[in-house]
Amino acid sequence: MAQRPGQSYGQAKNLFVSRKASGDSIVVGGMAEDSSRWTRVLSQRAAQMLWFNLTQLLYPERSDKVNALITTAPLRSADLPTITTHTTVDKSDDGNYEVTGWIGSYTWGLTLDKAEAERLWSALDGALAPQSLQNKPNPPPA
């Protein structure tokens, strides 16, 4: 099957991540290179893959330890075309991060500089943390 042409947002900024009220998917969005706003709904698994890939590229010295903590998420059927079911991140020669997402045979992509990639990683980290950890108070100082 031929892959349908995708949407490229170019150099993205002002990224945000939030969990949908149902709790089974993640919304990622930001501002595209042309200053338009964009959003994409990611399955739990696609969001975890995005976080996992960013961890490996941004924090290679810590990625083995951090990635051992990731929980697995079930695959979502590829015939549900309104949600991103798979993501990848590659580091380009110019030092930027190229994110690609798949919605069935449709793709979308964006480019992040290091600061935006770190911001996205942090936002995903918070959104993917188990609810019990998100609401847990910080331990008292020793």
Side-chain angles (χ1 to χ4, degrees), residues 32-43:
E33 192 168 358
D34 67 1
S35 297
S36 63
R37 302 288 297 166
W38 60 270
T39 59
R40 287 294 177 190
V41 179
L42 281 65
S43 67

Side-chain angles (χ1 to χ4, degrees), residues 35-105:
S35 297
S36 63
R37 302 288 297 166
W38 60 270
T39 59
R40 287 294 177 190
V41 179
L42 281 65
S43 67
Q44 175 82 14
R45 182 178 184 276
Q48 285 180 332
M49 288 305 302
L50 183 54
W51 178 85
F52 177 84
N53 288 317
L54 284 170
T55 300
Q56 288 182 312
L57 293 170
L58 291 168
Y59 311 108
E61 69 285 351
R62 296 185 287 164
S63 68
D64 287 343
K65 183 176 182 179
V66 170
N67 289 334
L69 302 174
I70 196 168
T71 58
T72 58
L75 288 170
R76 184 177 168 101
S77 176
D79 64 350
L80 300 172
T82 60
I83 190 166
T84 300
T85 57
H86 186 73
T87 57
T88 62
V89 181
D90 294 305
K91 192 166 184 182
S92 61
D93 292 338
D94 63 5
N96 286 322
Y97 299 85
E98 303 293 332
V99 177
T100 304
W102 281 266
I103 303 169
S105 61

Side-chain angles (χ1 to χ4, degrees), residues 112-132:
L112 304 173
D113 62 22
K114 186 169 189 217
E116 287 296 336
E118 288 173 340
R119 200 170 335 214
L120 177 58
W121 180 89
S122 182
L124 283 166
D125 191 53
L128 291 169
Q131 294 296 330
S132 60

